[in-house]
Amino acid sequence: MAVLHFMVQAKGGAGKTTCCVLLAQYLSQNERPVSCFCTDNMNRSFSQYKAFDVESVSLLNEDKSIAPQLFDPFFEKLLGLSEDVHAIIDNGASSSIPLCG
């Protein structure tokens, strides 16, 4: 299984995206395979870094609750990554509590 790096914090502006960018840059420069994901429905800053080919993933319903029909396929994708891959997931403040639940 891949190494999963979740950046989760319920407060906006805490530096989640900055941490994701720094980690992705460090791993890439050290020739580690990286897969990047942005699950922040409100602020898709991480997905704007084109160098990391960040995949935007929606995990929430309109009422901001976790959408199991979206959540399960995303985790199946993460679990299907090869064991040498570092998956970096930038999770937004709006979905941090439902994700942890």
Side-chain angles (χ1 to χ4, degrees), residues 22-32 34 52:
L22 291 172
L23 181 58
Q25 183 177 10
Y26 171 79
L27 292 169
S28 296
Q29 287 177 345
N30 286 284
E31 300 179 5
R32 305 274 176 86
V34 176
F52 302 126

Side-chain angles (χ1 to χ4, degrees), residues 6-10 16 39 59-60 66 71 75 91-101:
F6 281 91
M7 299 301 165
V8 181
Q9 169 54 260
K16 295 178 296 292
T39 64
L59 298 177
L60 301 180
I66 288 288
F71 186 85
F75 263 80
N91 190 66
S94 63
S95 61
S96 65
I97 292 172
L99 178 70
C100 290

Side-chain angles (χ1 to χ4, degrees), residues 50-87:
K50 303 301 180 199
F52 302 126
D53 193 27
V54 180
E55 181 180 335
S56 291
V57 178
S58 180
L59 298 177
L60 301 180
N61 291 311
E62 288 182 23
D63 66 356
K64 305 293 187 249
S65 62
I66 288 288
Q69 71 275 16
L70 302 173
F71 186 85
D72 292 344
F74 176 58
F75 263 80
E76 288 174 10
K77 176 182 260 188
L78 293 176
L79 293 172
L81 295 171
S82 66
E83 64 184 43
D84 62 331
V85 172
H86 287 259

Side-chain angles (χ1 to χ4, degrees), residues 3-7 20 23 27 85-90:
V3 177
L4 305 179
H5 303 275
F6 281 91
M7 299 301 165
C20 288
L23 181 58
L27 292 169
V85 172
H86 287 259
I88 302 171
I89 302 97
D90 185 9

